[in-house]
């Protein structure tokens, strides 16, 4: 009988393995899965901060045409929260891929919306602002795709120093990253304020005489075709008059201080685009070689 029992035990083990292979898990494993704590990634603190950034950005866009002070304040707070969500992710150990993508998409969209307004405020320079939007989107998309496709799903901020010292310094030094991002946004905010306060950049702010044939600059917030209320005493006209009385001194100072960093940020975007393109091309060469391409004739 002992021999029979010894022969039956392996049969039970095989049957148990077959049950697992057929999708019938051990009840104890199922119980362990049920007792594991579940997490809602969408309610992580860094992501909640990211949602608040979006709300503030939308509010700033609402006030952008007529309320430069309110818009600048809301936009600046939204940008500053970009640093806070990173601190929260490290503090609560809540770094996620969703949060990283949400952060990047929010940055790209808010900056692009501001540049779109600057294109309408300064029509002569619209092609420059359109180029900046295209460069920003192209460089970050190529970089993100290259790190996901070639870097085994690693974060886009994990750049090996051998691949690019500049990008390694930019993404791995938090101080450098914050300074470049903050001053880049400050430069465009300064241009936005100057569109309301500097006749040098916005000729429409100069007094004109319609009888003498003077016209305001097309695309400007003060252009007659943009007026919602025609009466001089309307709320729109009063708010526009108050906005145009802004002092242009500090916007000029901010633009002058931040302009070198803004140019440096665009250089980084170009380097990021070229490095990502080269990385993807190297991957294509390896893949073609693995397939035996090009075939020898």
């Amino acid at each position: 009988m002992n021999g029979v029992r010894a022969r039956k035990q392996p049969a039970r083990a095989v049957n148990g393995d077959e049950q697992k292979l057929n999708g019938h898990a051990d009840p104890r494993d199922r119980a362990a899965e049920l007792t594991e704590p579940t997490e809602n990634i969408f309610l992580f603190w860094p992501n909640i901060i990211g949602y608040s950034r979006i709300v503030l950005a939308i509010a700033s866009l609402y006030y952008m045409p007529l309320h430069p002070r309110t818009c600048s304040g809301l936009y600046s707070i939204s940008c500053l929260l970009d640093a806070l969500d990173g601190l929260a992710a490290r503090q609560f150990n809540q770094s996620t891929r969703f949060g990283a993508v949400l952060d990047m998409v929010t940055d790209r969209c808010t900056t692009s919306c501001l540049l779109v307004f600057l294109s309408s405020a300064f029509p002569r320079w619209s092609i420059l602002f359109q180029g900046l939007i295209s460069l920003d989107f192209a460089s970050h998309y190529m970089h993100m795709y290259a790190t996901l496709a070639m870097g085994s799903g690693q974060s886009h901020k994990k750049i090996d120093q051998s691949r690019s010292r500049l990008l390694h310094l930019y993404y791995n030094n938090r101080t450098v990253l914050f300074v470049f991002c903050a001053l880049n946004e400050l430069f465009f905010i300064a241009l936005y304020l100057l569109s309301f306060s500097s006749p040098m950049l916005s000729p429409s702010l100069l007094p004109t005489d319609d009888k003498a044939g003077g016209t305001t600059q097309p695309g400007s917030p003060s252009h007659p075709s943009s007026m919602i209320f025609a009466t001089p005493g309307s709320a729109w006209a009063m708010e526009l008059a108050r906005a145009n009385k802004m002092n242009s001194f500090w916007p000029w100072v901010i633009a002058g201080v931040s302009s070198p960093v803004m140019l440096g940020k665009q250089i980084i975007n170009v380097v990021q685009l070229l490095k990502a393109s080269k990385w993807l091309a190297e991957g294509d060469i390896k893949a073609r070689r693995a397939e035996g391409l090009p075939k020898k004739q």
Side-chain angles (χ1 to χ4, degrees), residues 68-69 193-194 196-198 241-249 251:
R69 296 177 179 84
L193 293 175
L194 287 172
F196 286 90
S197 60
S198 176
R242 185 179 72 87
N244 288 341
K245 289 182 180 179
M246 292 178 59
N247 191 335
S248 62
F249 174 76

Side-chain angles (χ1 to χ4, degrees), residues 11 15 25 30-31 34 44 50 77 108 110-111 116 120 128 137 140 144 150 157 173 201 207 215 229 244 259 271 274:
N15 291 335
R30 180 62 178 170
L34 294 175
F44 277 10
I77 295 173
R108 305 285 73 75
T110 52
T111 304
V116 167
S120 64
L128 178 60
F137 268 101
H140 283 85
M144 175 72 81
M150 308 299 298
K157 293 185 178 181
N173 190 311
L201 294 180
T215 57
F229 305 102
N244 288 341
S259 58
V271 172
L274 295 177

Side-chain angles (χ1 to χ4, degrees), residues 112-138:
S112 298
C113 290
L114 179 55
L115 291 177
V116 167
F117 181 88
L118 294 179
S119 295
S120 64
F122 307 111
R124 296 179 181 178
W125 302 98
S126 61
I127 189 172
L128 178 60
F129 295 118
Q130 291 166 358
L132 292 176
I133 293 173
S134 301
L135 175 61
D136 192 40
F137 268 101

Side-chain angles (χ1 to χ4, degrees), residues 1-294:
M1 296 296 292
N2 291 337
V4 174
R5 291 177 182 175
R7 286 192 297 269
K8 288 183 178 180
Q9 287 176 355
R12 291 196 188 112
V14 172
N15 291 335
D17 293 337
E18 291 178 354
Q19 288 179 353
K20 291 181 180 180
L21 291 175
N22 291 331
H24 301 284
D26 192 333
R28 290 173 297 180
D29 296 338
R30 180 62 178 170
E33 292 178 0
L34 294 175
T35 56
E36 289 181 358
T38 57
E39 294 181 310
N40 191 339
I41 300 297
F42 299 106
L43 296 181
F44 277 10
W45 284 111
N47 298 333
I48 292 176
I49 296 174
Y51 306 146
S52 64
R53 289 188 60 204
I54 296 174
V55 173
L56 290 170
I58 294 174
S60 70
L61 297 178
Y62 174 79
Y63 288 107
M64 189 171 285
L66 298 177
H67 301 266
R69 296 177 179 84
T70 303
C71 170
S72 300
L74 293 172
Y75 189 93
S76 299
I77 295 173
S78 177
C79 293
L80 290 174
L81 288 178
D82 187 18
L84 183 60
D85 63 3
L87 293 174
R90 291 186 292 271
Q91 178 68 28
F92 298 103
N93 194 23
Q94 293 181 344
S95 299
T96 59
R97 294 187 182 92
F98 170 76
V101 174
L102 176 67
D103 185 53
M104 177 177 287
V105 170
T106 303
D107 291 339
R108 305 285 73 75
C109 292
T110 52
T111 304
S112 298
C113 290
L114 179 55
L115 291 177
V116 167
F117 181 88
L118 294 179
S119 295
S120 64
F122 307 111
R124 296 179 181 178
W125 302 98
S126 61
I127 189 172
L128 178 60
F129 295 118
Q130 291 166 358
L132 292 176
I133 293 173
S134 301
L135 175 61
D136 192 40
F137 268 101
S139 65
H140 283 85
Y141 178 82
M142 291 282 286
H143 177 69
M144 175 72 81
Y145 187 87
T147 52
L148 290 176
M150 308 299 298
S152 300
Q154 67 183 16
S155 171
H156 68 281
K157 293 185 178 181
K158 293 182 179 179
I159 304 299
D160 188 59
Q161 190 172 3
S162 61
R163 184 163 296 278
S164 175
R165 293 183 179 180
L166 179 61
L167 295 180
H168 177 79
L169 175 64
Y170 176 74
Y171 279 114
N172 291 274
N173 190 311
R174 296 171 187 171
T175 303
V176 173
L177 181 62
F178 176 80
V179 169
F180 269 83
C181 292
L183 291 184
N184 181 69
E185 295 295 338
L186 274 178
F187 176 80
F188 295 126
I189 293 174
L191 286 184
Y192 165 71
L193 293 175
L194 287 172
S195 70
F196 286 90
S197 60
S198 176
M200 183 182 301
L201 294 180
S202 296
S204 60
L205 298 181
L206 293 172
T208 58
D209 186 3
D210 293 337
K211 295 181 180 180
T215 57
T216 56
Q217 182 182 9
S220 169
S222 60
H223 192 266
S225 61
S226 304
M227 287 191 175
I228 301 176
F229 305 102
T231 58
S234 65
W236 190 93
M238 294 175 63
E239 178 58 32
L240 181 61
R242 185 179 72 87
N244 288 341
K245 289 182 180 179
M246 292 178 59
N247 191 335
S248 62
F249 174 76
W250 285 113
W252 274 116
V253 171
I254 295 173
V257 172
S258 59
S259 58
V261 179
M262 186 277 299
L263 292 175
K265 180 68 166 60
Q266 307 316 314
I267 294 175
I268 291 175
N269 283 341
V270 173
V271 172
Q272 183 171 253
L273 179 62
L274 295 177
K275 292 293 184 180
S277 301
K278 183 179 179 181
W279 197 5
L280 288 172
E282 292 174 356
D284 289 335
I285 292 175
K286 292 180 181 179
R288 288 175 61 82
R289 286 178 180 174
E291 295 175 0
L293 298 174

